[in-house]
Amino acid sequence: MLRLLTAPLVLTVLVMQSIRLALGQIWANKTRSALTTIGIVIGVASVTAVIASLTGLKAKVLKDFETLGTNKIYVNPDWPREGRFRNFNWRVIRFRPEQFDGLLERCPSISNFTMMTNRSKKVSYGIHSIDNARISGINPSWHEIENRSVILGRPFTLMDEENGWQVCLITPAVRDELRLDLDCIGKRIIIDRRSYRIVGVVETRVESGMFGQMGDSKEVFIPFPTAWRLWDPWMYIIAACRKPELSQEAQAELKFFLRQTRHLQPDDPDTFRMDVIEEYLKQFNTMAATMTAIAGGVVGISLLVGGVGIMNIMLVSVSERTREIGLRKAVGARPSAILLQFLVESVVLCLFGGLMGIGIGQGLTTLISKIPNAHFLSMAYIPLWAIGISFGFAGSVGVFFGMFPAIKAARLDPIEALRHE
Amino acid sequence: MSMMPTSRDDVVIRLSGVARTYKVGVESIHALKGVDLELRRNEYVAIMGPSGSGKSTLMNILGCLDRCTSGTYELDGRDTTRLSSAGLARVRNAQIGFVFQAFELLPRLNAIKNVELPLIYAGGEGWLNRKARARETLTKVGLGERMKHRPNQLSGGEKQRVAIARALVNRPSILLADEPTGNLDTRTSLDIMALFEQLHQEGQTIIMVTHEDDIAHHAKRIVRMRDGRIVADELTGSNRQIATVAPAT
């Protein structure tokens, strides 16, 4: 009865004692242990570094998306794939500002929207010029939607719109390139042969590694009605929903609203397209998962190689300690106890390798995050689950490759073992 | 075939017709050719014989390290012939204490840890009190002061005392000593023999394999073997008078 009750305790103490013995064994053969576990170390180090890089990349992308805004819906005119609009002229398909009258009243999930046009034009001030500055026509609500404030001067107002004034906002990069004074408010620059008065300087968008084109810093903004009046009338809108969770409803409302204002028949397909950042995010996640899987495969091979090393050294250990095994059997260790002892030793050896691997992986990660010109890796870090997985894999390798030597030890004949020199 | 009237409880070991045959290639080697032997509680026996006489094989079978090819071996009234290897391990753990010629202490463990070893595998009450039991047993063999020493810090005699403490710690039915003084000088050998005598006085059953006559004569009974058979079984010295009363074979 007492034997039954103490059985789990006996097992625990056996394991604890085996761990202590294994640590002693590793300590006594430091060089050998280090060389043996090198496969595991490299495997774990590379898997943690790869995961850290991917995690960093993902964090960076997420942060970029956040600055872009996850609550934004881009609405562009678009040709449907079928139906009567398929081959229609762009003049029919395009948006017109009046199609958006009353949008905010009719779409309660949308907090704000701005009409947009984009052009590349030559901008000049005196003898200095920029050949292809990005010129955008915007509504005053743009500041709020894009979350970009004015660092000097003032933002656009309804007055600018209603009066159709030729005013503009510029980014610091434009100011520098045109050799304007630091305080350039009130100066006039030439855009496409017309003169615009600078009313404010808009902060540069946070540099985005993934979306270089969007991070284009030489930007000039003019009121949307002005742009609409002067240039090719092709426009799109950016709408912001009240909360990211409301994205689906906001899209449905927009769709319903636009189908009405664009006079689409019930069986007509949409003549516009809505894009949400979330979609891109999903695609990125799929890609990251694929990369992790590939990295995992590579690491699996190195763990396999490492495991063979472990098996080899465990076989050496078993033959070195044959007399010890014989003695333990003589004093009553059952085959299962011997098996346990050597399995624990192999697992401890592998976990020790895993620990070193994580250490080296952390070092690699620090190095990676410091690579110049690779901003997208600057946020690399090892997530907790990766440490768990590394240890899990190292432990499994220990069990798997330690099994054969341990079985060999457990099956030794005690008489033979005690006679072993 | 002992004619001696003994109560069944009193018999610790009963071998009847025990044979052990090894197969080496196509050849069979008959190491034991039918051994009958009965040992009572608190006997102190020496097994002697030239090399190849089968005394080591007999020792292995008595110690449940090996199984006999035919015949039966009862230890404490229980037949061990059909036990599995785990079952034999349990018997070795609970009923047999081994003392080896080369001590066989684990070099990385100190004296008390070495002595604890059988209890680690035992479970039950012995396991729960293993520290106290190990300490108590070490004190009994006269090493109360050197418990924390590792084998390489101990003399040969001290090592053998640790080994004896390890053999005794789980209170075995028999103490099996295989050439216990083989690696010791004469003086230390006598010390160990004195310890064996003391254990015998306290009631311990002792079986000792040796090829040294003067060591064997510390035992109360000598079993001589040759060619896998027992050729003589006699009482020693002052016990001879009893021998006439109790015919051994």
Side-chain angles (χ1 to χ4, degrees):
Chain A
M1 189 60 197
L2 194 56
R3 179 187 283 275
L4 265 178
L5 285 175
T6 50
L9 285 172
V10 170
L11 192 71
T12 318
V13 168
L14 264 182
V15 170
M16 297 284 285
Q17 209 205 24
S18 301
I19 290 174
R20 211 174 313 143
L21 279 172
L23 288 176
Q25 202 71 22
I26 290 170
W27 184 246
N29 306 303
K30 286 178 277 288
T31 320
R32 190 170 92 178
S33 306
L35 289 176
T36 303
T37 52
I38 211 153
I40 306 282
V41 172
I42 291 172
V44 169
S46 43
V47 76
T48 44
V50 167
I51 289 178
S53 304
L54 278 173
T55 313
L57 193 60
K58 209 157 148 182
K60 179 75 181 162
V61 168
L62 273 175
K63 203 176 149 217
D64 283 353
F65 278 134
E66 237 154 66
T67 51
L68 285 174
T70 44
N71 57 344
K72 279 190 286 189
I73 304 167
Y74 292 78
V75 192
N76 279 284
D78 195 18
W79 281 266
R81 278 180 214 284
E82 50 209 38
R84 60 187 176 109
F85 292 103
R86 192 160 43 112
N87 296 316
F88 269 32
N89 191 286
W90 64 268
R91 287 176 193 283
V92 183
I93 298 296
R94 69 175 175 148
F95 287 163
R96 307 182 137 274
E98 58 270 22
Q99 287 173 348
F100 298 94
D101 288 344
L103 183 148
L104 289 182
E105 291 78 54
R106 304 266 307 277
C107 302
S109 298
I110 288 172
S111 61
N112 225 333
F113 78 98
T114 175
M115 300 184 217
M116 299 282 298
T117 65
N118 292 323
R119 281 288 171 283
S120 265
K121 296 274 185 202
K122 186 177 171 176
V123 177
S124 57
Y125 175 71
I127 57 163
H128 302 289
S129 65
I130 302 168
D131 278 338
N132 48 357
R134 186 178 160 90
I135 319 292
S136 302
I138 56 171
N139 291 134
S141 53
W142 176 88
H143 292 285
E144 190 190 314
I145 291 168
E146 289 285 325
N147 193 21
R148 289 174 68 180
S149 50
V150 165
I151 50 180
L152 194 71
R154 63 168 178 83
F156 284 154
T157 62
L158 280 175
M159 289 283 283
D160 297 316
E161 295 218 326
E162 277 160 20
N163 298 328
W165 282 337
Q166 306 228 102
V167 289
C168 69
L169 298 167
I170 60 171
T171 55
V174 174
R175 178 179 63 191
D176 297 343
E177 189 106 357
L178 294 179
R179 306 285 197 276
L180 282 154
D181 293 334
L182 214 54
D183 181 11
C184 55
I185 308 300
K187 295 283 188 307
R188 290 188 165 272
I189 58 172
I190 310 294
I191 306 170
D192 199 23
R193 296 188 303 279
R194 284 169 189 276
S195 164
Y196 293 79
R197 184 165 52 87
I198 300 171
V199 294
V201 177
V202 174
E203 64 180 354
T204 311
R205 189 201 297 281
V206 182
E207 190 61 50
S208 156
M210 288 295 283
F211 308 98
Q213 174 235 344
M214 287 184 168
D216 193 356
S217 56
K218 284 176 244 168
E219 293 175 287
V220 177
F221 303 93
I222 60 173
F224 179 80
T226 313
W228 181 254
R229 187 156 39 86
L230 293 175
W231 299 329
D232 295 342
W234 185 258
M235 59 165 286
Y236 63 97
I237 68 159
I238 306 174
C241 41
R242 292 189 191 281
K243 283 182 205 149
E245 306 90 82
L246 287 174
S247 180
Q248 294 294 327
E249 288 163 52
Q251 286 179 64
E253 288 164 9
L254 260 177
K255 179 173 165 147
F256 184 77
F257 173 81
L258 273 174
R259 286 186 67 89
Q260 240 178 8
T261 56
R262 284 163 75 74
H263 308 294
L264 295 178
Q265 299 303 311
D267 49 348
D268 281 340
D270 294 341
T271 55
F272 50 89
R273 191 183 77 235
M274 283 184 276
D275 294 312
V276 202
I277 296 294
E278 260 97 23
E279 293 301 315
Y280 297 112
L281 211 58
K282 267 181 214 153
Q283 283 175 19
F284 174 79
N285 278 336
T286 318
M287 188 190 75
T290 315
M291 282 166 74
T292 311
I294 293 169
V298 173
V299 164
I301 291 166
S302 89
L303 283 181
L304 193 78
V305 174
V308 173
I310 295 288
M311 178 147 78
N312 181 41
I313 215 68
M314 287 310 296
L315 285 171
V316 170
S317 184
V318 168
S319 80
E320 271 181 354
R321 286 151 72 198
T322 304
R323 280 180 87 93
E324 175 189 328
I325 295 165
L327 183 271
R328 284 177 183 272
K329 289 197 154 193
V331 302
R334 269 175 267 176
S336 55
I338 300 291
L339 184 90
L340 182 75
Q341 184 191 338
F342 281 90
L343 264 192
V344 165
E345 185 168 324
S346 152
V347 168
V348 167
L349 199 59
C350 285
L351 290 183
F352 165 75
L355 193 69
M356 296 219 304
I358 286 171
I360 293 175
Q362 179 59 59
L364 281 177
T365 306
T366 315
L367 279 181
I368 284 171
S369 66
K370 295 240 157 64
I371 297 175
N373 304 325
H375 298 295
F376 54 92
L377 287 175
S378 62
M379 289 172 73
Y381 73 98
I382 303 175
L384 217 56
W385 62 265
I387 292 175
I389 281 188
S390 298
F391 271 121
F393 268 113
S396 314
V397 166
V399 171
F400 189 78
F401 289 94
M403 194 55 95
F404 172 62
I407 288 175
K408 210 181 153 196
R411 283 198 184 150
L412 277 178
D413 174 39
I415 301 166
E416 296 286 322
L418 277 168
R419 216 179 279 151
H420 187 90
E421 285 308 315
Chain B
M1 302 317 126
S2 174
M3 295 292 117
M4 202 170 67
T6 49
S7 79
R8 199 180 163 78
D9 295 340
D10 216 23
V11 176
V12 181
I13 286 175
R14 178 178 285 132
L15 297 181
S16 32
V18 165
R20 180 71 171 95
T21 309
Y22 295 104
K23 281 228 180 338
V24 179
V26 286
E27 241 178 302
S28 294
I29 295 172
H30 302 282
L32 290 180
K33 303 168 182 167
V35 170
D36 300 310
L37 184 66
E38 224 173 61
L39 290 181
R40 277 166 295 144
R41 206 166 296 286
N42 198 20
E43 272 202 274
Y44 184 3
V45 188
I47 299 175
M48 294 196 70
S51 64
S53 61
K55 65 180 194 296
S56 294
T57 307
L58 180 61
M59 182 87 182
N60 290 336
I61 286 175
L62 287 174
C64 284
L65 290 166
D66 198 5
R67 288 189 192 86
C68 46
T69 322
S70 65
T72 57
Y73 169 23
E74 276 176 44
L75 178 60
D76 280 333
R78 220 172 105 220
D79 187 6
T80 63
T81 327
R82 309 235 173 278
L83 287 175
S84 66
S85 56
L88 286 177
R90 184 171 288 173
V91 170
R92 290 197 295 270
N93 183 254
Q95 284 157 274
I96 298 162
F98 288 96
V99 175
F100 301 95
Q101 179 176 0
F103 324 129
E104 307 296 348
L105 301 178
L106 298 189
R108 256 186 267 287
L109 304 182
N110 63 21
I112 194 159
K113 292 265 185 218
N114 264 293
V115 174
E116 260 181 59
L117 203 61
L119 296 177
I120 288 284
Y121 296 113
E125 181 269 334
W127 181 83
L128 281 175
N129 302 323
R130 59 192 184 282
K131 277 265 180 282
R133 287 265 286 268
R135 216 170 276 135
E136 179 192 311
T137 317
L138 269 171
T139 312
K140 186 161 139 190
V141 300
L143 277 179
E145 305 301 309
R146 319 215 66 177
M147 293 190 193
K148 298 282 180 196
H149 289 62
R150 289 196 178 190
N152 59 7
Q153 298 163 307
L154 297 171
S155 70
E158 285 170 330
K159 281 185 205 167
Q160 197 58 301
R161 281 168 193 270
V162 174
I164 292 166
R166 180 180 64 195
L168 294 174
V169 75
N170 207 15
R171 296 168 189 161
S173 308
I174 53 172
L175 180 68
L176 268 183
D178 187 4
E179 304 275 5
T181 58
N183 280 16
L184 302 174
D185 58 45
T186 318
R187 238 204 85 219
T188 323
S189 295
L190 289 176
D191 288 347
I192 296 296
M193 284 306 105
L195 177 58
F196 272 31
E197 182 59 36
Q198 177 202 326
L199 295 173
H200 171 62
Q201 295 300 334
E202 288 167 13
Q204 181 67 51
T205 312
I206 301 172
I207 305 170
M208 173 169 74
V209 169
T210 183
H211 64 271
E212 292 173 79
D213 247 340
D214 44 342
I215 291 295
H217 275 84
H218 285 93
K220 309 299 176 227
R221 177 178 165 191
I222 296 179
V223 174
R224 290 181 196 275
M225 299 193 62
R226 176 156 298 170
D227 296 330
R229 286 198 176 89
I230 293 174
V231 291
D233 188 347
E234 61 211 12
L235 300 182
T236 58
S238 56
N239 308 287
R240 278 219 175 102
Q241 299 99 303
I242 314 165
T244 53
V245 184
T249 27

